[in-house]
C-alpha cells in the first residue's frame, strides 16, 4: 500500500523559512509526478509546486523565486524549502502523488494519493 507521510511545517514570522518533507512508502515505480498543494481557510486548494521524476519542476506564480521543490535521489522523498514566507502563505500544505504524465501542471483531479497535510502558519 502506497502512503505519503509529511513532516515539517509549523509557525514562523514573516520573512522566515520553513521546510516540508514528504516520504512516499510502498511506491516502486521510477516514473512519477509529485507535488505540493495548499489550502487556506475559506479558500480552494491550490497547486504550489510539482516535481517530475525526470527532474522537471514547476511553480505557481505566487511562490516562484521563494520556494524550492526537490527530491532525495536515494528514495522518493519530496521536499519543499520555503523562504521569505508571507502571511498569505499560511495554509494546510498537502503532498500529492500522480502519474508521470500529469506533471507539470498537476491538477487536483489528477492526484492519485494525498498526504494527510501539515500546517504552515506565517505571522506578520
Amino acid at each position: 500500500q502506497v502512503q505519503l507521510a509529511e513532516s515539517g511545517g509549523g509557525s514562523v514570522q514573516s520573512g522566515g523559512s520553513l521546510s516540508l518533507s514528504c516520504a512516499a512508502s510502498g511506491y516502486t515505480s521510477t516514473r512519477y509526478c509529485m507535488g505540493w498543494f495548499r489550502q487556506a481557510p475559506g479558500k480552494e486548494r491550490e497547486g504550489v509546486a510539482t516535481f517530475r521524476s525526470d527532474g522537471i519542476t514547476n511553480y505557481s506564480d505566487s511562490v516562484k523565486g521563494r520556494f524550492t521543490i526537490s527530491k532525495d535521489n536515494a528514495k522518493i522523498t519530496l521536499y519543499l524549502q520555503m523562504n521569505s514566507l508571507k502571511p498569505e502563505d499560511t495554509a494546510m500544505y498537502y503532498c500529492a502523488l500522480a502519474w508521470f504524465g500529469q506533471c507539470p501542471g498537476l491538477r487536483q483531479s489528477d492526484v492519485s494519493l494525498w498526504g494527510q497535510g501539515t500546517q504552515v502558519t506565517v505571522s506578520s
Side-chain angles (χ1 to χ4, degrees):
Q1 181 180 359
V2 181
Q3 292 184 322
L4 299 178
E6 297 153 343
S7 60
S11 298
V12 67
Q13 289 191 327
S14 182
S17 299
L18 284 173
S19 180
L20 306 180
S21 299
C22 173
S25 61
Y27 191 76
T28 58
S29 176
T30 58
R31 289 165 59 86
Y32 53 83
C33 167
M34 294 185 74
W36 292 96
F37 286 74
R38 66 186 182 186
Q39 187 167 19
K43 295 187 177 181
E44 293 186 355
R45 191 173 297 188
E46 62 175 359
V48 175
T50 60
F51 186 101
R52 200 170 68 183
S53 52
D54 60 356
I56 300 298
T57 60
N58 191 56
Y59 298 91
S60 67
D61 289 341
S62 61
V63 306
K64 200 171 294 183
R66 300 187 297 122
F67 290 11
T68 301
I69 191 169
S70 63
K71 186 191 74 68
D72 187 313
N73 287 329
K75 51 188 176 182
I76 305 181
T77 298
L78 189 71
Y79 302 99
L80 186 68
Q81 178 64 40
M82 304 181 292
N83 299 327
S84 302
L85 283 162
K86 305 174 182 180
E88 50 264 44
D89 294 317
T90 295
M92 185 72 78
Y93 283 70
Y94 297 91
C95 179
L97 176 66
W99 174 63
F100 177 89
Q102 307 296 355
C103 273
L106 178 63
R107 300 173 300 180
Q108 289 188 60
S109 57
D110 295 327
V111 173
S112 300
L113 183 66
W114 292 98
Q116 79 281 4
T118 185
Q119 179 67 37
V120 171
T121 302
V122 185
S123 58
S124 58

